Amino acid sequence: MSSSVPRPRSLRPRSLRPRTLRARLIAGLVALLVIIFAGVGLAVTTALQHYLLVRLDQQLSDTGGRYAASLERAADPVGHSVDRRDTRAQAPGTFGARLLHGIVTAAGVVDGDADDAGVEAGTIPADTDDLVKLTAADQRTLAALPVAGPARTADLANLGSYRVRAVAGQDGDVLITGLPLRPLTDTVHQAIMVEVTVFAVALGVAGLAGALWLRLALRPLDRIAVTAERVSALPLARGEVVLTERVPGTAADPATETGRVGLALNRMLGHVEDALAQRHAVEDRLRSFAADAGHELRTPVATVRGHAELALRHPDPIAPPVRHALERVEAEARRMGAIVDDLLLLARLDAGRPLATAEVDLTRLALDCTDDARAAAPTHHWRLDLPAEPVLATGDEDRLRQVLANLLANAHRHTPPGTTVTLQLTGHRLTVTDDGPGIPPDLAPHIFDRFVRGDQARSRTTGTTGLGLAIAHAIAAAHGGSLTLRQEDGRGAVFVLTLP
Ligand SMILES: Nc1ncnc2c1ncn2[C@@H]1O[C@H](COP(=O)(O)OP(=O)(O)OP(=O)(O)O)[C@@H](O)[C@H]1O
Ligand SMILES: [Mg+2]
């Protein structure tokens, strides 16, 4: 089962493949050069080998088979000395053999430079060759050679590889002449060594030069990346944003490909800057509208409420349905007044108006708020967890009290009776924990947005507006702190207010 689950990236074995564009281009260049060098090396070596072989075959036919023929004569009068073998003008290593009816009667190898000495003395010098013993396999190989056919390569057990050729002798025998392949293979090996050395050096130089050149060529791309990274680190989400980052000069040259990317990025940043400025203007207008509307509504709402109260207190008897209607008018006017106050407060916090800064005793605050909550909701269990020492913080006491009161009110308004609510103070952190039903998962991500409520239908009748947490969040932020929600195991809500 678990094998079908894809492993996280970090657990996978590190791939050896290069990751940066630069490394990949260099690897590609080196791979291409290796292929080219291998091809060139193979072609040159094959051509050289072929050329040397043709030359060796030519040399073989140029020897005229004199040495092998002399073996024939030397073997003729049985028991005669071996110094009649003719090694003149024969290259050292020349192999000769005489076969009679498929059986080797004599075989030898020229082992010194007999040429000059022989000619000058007019005699055939002794000890310039060695008669050799051939194995049975060698004899079979030689016997299988086609007479007067093309030269062939034969591997002789004691002598190594030879290029051999057979011709018919004078009395029904076969004369075989051979030249060693050793010099040829030595030359080819040497050529391969030279090629490998030269190619390795060329590869190293090409790799280094390529890396250097790529570094220069990709420098504009680096500048673009740096600009993009700087922009991505800017807090663009809200408020007034100063977006002056641009890709610098040469990296935005329309004549090059990278320059076009840089130019496009600059243009895009310009558009984004315009859009953000527009958003800020709209936000400003909306904020001032909310503030203006709040101010304008305050007086009429208060007037409605005042008149409803006045009518209810009138000494004349009021018909029960009218009394009920007036009570509803008063209650709703009170609620409306609270909403208007909340909206005005939010507008003020949005505008970044400075809050009062005084020393606030968080311990005292926690005590007061829990007392209030206990009085307001005796159906719940209220627990307070305070440190031994009093904790002091700097801020606006009324606003902080509002945040705590709101969190505690939520903890009893949105949970069933019997729920235990704990307020804990540790350092500058206040945590409100309840063991109620918790925040529905689909609501949690938006819990601090405005007018977000759990049960919309029920909330409207119970008189909640969904502004409480939005205000608490804004107050925490205005203090330079934070308000966060922690949900554990889907049961109970945990709100954490952290002050700097
Ligand atoms: N402790 C809690 N347990 C369960 N749900 C909660 C809790 N606190 C808040 N909620 C849910 O989050 C919603 C938003 O809370 P918020 O305080 O912003 O608004 P409200 O309490 O509905 O209205 P207001 O506080 O403005 O009178 C609530 O409607 C409720 O559904
Ligand atoms: Mg609330």
Side-chain angles (χ1 to χ4, degrees):
M1 292 285 165
S2 63
S3 64
S4 66
V5 179
R7 279 210 273 167
R9 229 190 159 73
S10 57
L11 289 184
R12 272 182 232 155
R14 272 281 200 87
S15 159
L16 282 180
R17 257 196 282 158
R19 303 230 293 184
T20 63
L21 177 63
R22 205 170 286 151
R24 269 189 285 177
L25 286 175
I26 290 292
L29 173 72
V30 169
L32 200 67
L33 283 179
V34 166
I35 293 172
I36 291 174
F37 286 167
V40 169
L42 198 71
V44 168
T45 309
T46 313
L48 178 70
Q49 199 166 15
H50 181 250
Y51 166 74
L52 289 177
L53 205 62
V54 167
R55 228 182 52 170
L56 193 68
D57 288 352
Q58 183 59 45
Q59 240 175 313
L60 193 59
S61 49
D62 286 351
T63 60
R66 186 148 25 102
Y67 176 62
S70 73
L71 284 174
E72 179 183 23
R73 282 195 303 280
D76 231 5
V78 181
H80 268 208
S81 72
V82 291
D83 59 10
R84 284 181 57 201
R85 295 193 303 275
D86 187 357
T87 61
R88 282 173 305 160
Q90 299 296 313
T94 304
F95 167 82
R98 175 174 179 262
L99 268 79
L100 195 59
H101 308 307
I103 298 181
V104 177
T105 59
V109 173
V110 178
D111 66 357
D113 191 358
D115 200 11
D116 296 342
V119 170
E120 273 166 26
T123 57
I124 302 162
D127 295 334
T128 54
D129 69 341
D130 283 330
L131 288 180
V132 291
K133 277 221 168 286
L134 296 176
T135 63
D138 291 346
Q139 297 204 23
R140 272 199 301 281
T141 308
L142 294 180
L145 283 177
V147 177
R152 286 217 183 153
T153 299
D155 291 317
L156 302 178
N158 298 322
L159 301 172
S161 288
Y162 267 78
R163 198 70 180 160
V164 288
R165 204 163 152 259
V167 293
Q170 283 164 6
D171 40 12
D173 53 358
V174 174
L175 300 175
I176 293 173
T177 310
L179 283 174
L181 271 171
R182 182 73 190 269
L184 185 149
T185 46
D186 280 355
T187 307
V188 170
H189 281 161
Q190 204 147 11
I192 289 176
M193 287 297 288
V194 170
E195 277 168 20
V196 167
T197 311
V198 168
F199 287 165
V201 170
L203 210 59
V205 170
L208 272 179
L212 225 68
W213 174 74
L214 265 181
R215 176 174 286 272
L216 280 179
L218 290 182
R219 196 171 278 173
L221 212 56
D222 285 340
R223 294 211 187 102
I224 293 170
V226 165
T227 306
E229 274 161 14
R230 266 200 226 127
V231 170
S232 69
L234 288 176
L236 304 179
R238 59 172 60 86
E240 190 172 10
V241 179
V242 187
L243 186 60
T244 49
E245 289 288 346
R246 292 293 185 275
V247 175
T250 49
D253 174 9
T256 65
E257 287 89 340
T258 46
R260 293 222 302 273
V261 176
L263 209 61
L265 185 68
N266 278 354
R267 241 180 267 138
M268 200 177 77
L269 287 175
H271 293 323
V272 171
E273 193 183 16
D274 288 349
L276 288 175
Q278 250 175 40
R279 184 192 68 181
H280 185 62
V282 169
E283 277 174 355
D284 258 356
R285 245 176 291 153
L286 210 65
R287 207 176 294 135
S288 60
F289 169 77
D292 292 349
H295 275 298
E296 292 303 319
L297 281 173
R298 232 179 179 177
T299 319
V301 167
T303 310
V304 169
R305 195 177 133 196
H307 280 286
E309 274 175 9
L310 210 65
L312 280 169
R313 287 207 203 103
H314 200 273
D316 288 353
I318 308 172
V322 177
R323 172 170 290 277
H324 177 71
L326 282 174
E327 279 169 357
R328 292 294 311 131
V329 169
E330 196 213 338
E332 288 301 300
R334 195 188 298 273
R335 196 161 97 80
M336 216 162 150
I339 296 177
V340 167
D341 284 347
D342 281 354
L343 282 176
L344 272 175
L345 175 59
L346 269 177
R348 224 173 299 141
L349 289 170
D350 277 351
R353 292 251 205 100
L355 295 166
T357 47
E359 199 153 80
V360 184
D361 184 348
L362 293 182
T363 317
R364 175 93 251 141
L365 202 69
L367 262 167
D368 289 352
C369 288
T370 320
D371 278 349
D372 293 349
R374 194 173 282 134
T379 50
H380 286 58
H381 305 294
W382 300 94
R383 285 179 43 202
L384 189 56
D385 186 353
L386 293 175
E389 301 288 309
V391 180
L392 298 177
T394 316
D396 187 327
E397 178 161 0
D398 289 342
R399 296 286 160 252
L400 290 177
R401 188 181 293 275
Q402 191 177 354
V403 173
L404 267 194
N406 215 302
L407 294 177
L408 294 176
N410 278 351
H412 85 249
R413 249 196 279 173
H414 305 295
T415 57
T419 303
T420 303
V421 185
T422 309
L423 173 57
Q424 188 190 32
L425 175 62
T426 41
H428 281 181
R429 172 169 298 172
L430 281 152
T431 312
V432 178
T433 312
D434 68 59
D435 59 358
I439 315 284
D442 55 329
L443 197 66
H446 316 285
I447 196 74
F448 297 114
D449 290 354
R450 282 151 208 206
F451 298 108
V452 168
R453 286 172 299 186
D455 184 350
Q456 301 279 353
R458 202 174 57 85
S459 301
R460 207 152 289 148
T461 54
T462 54
T464 69
T465 56
L467 281 173
L469 286 177
I471 289 174
H473 192 261
I475 290 174
H479 275 85
S482 67
L483 177 64
T484 52
L485 165 68
R486 248 188 10 226
Q487 291 260 77
E488 274 153 17
D489 313 319
R491 241 194 100 72
V494 182
F495 287 95
V496 185
L497 169 68
T498 312
L499 293 173

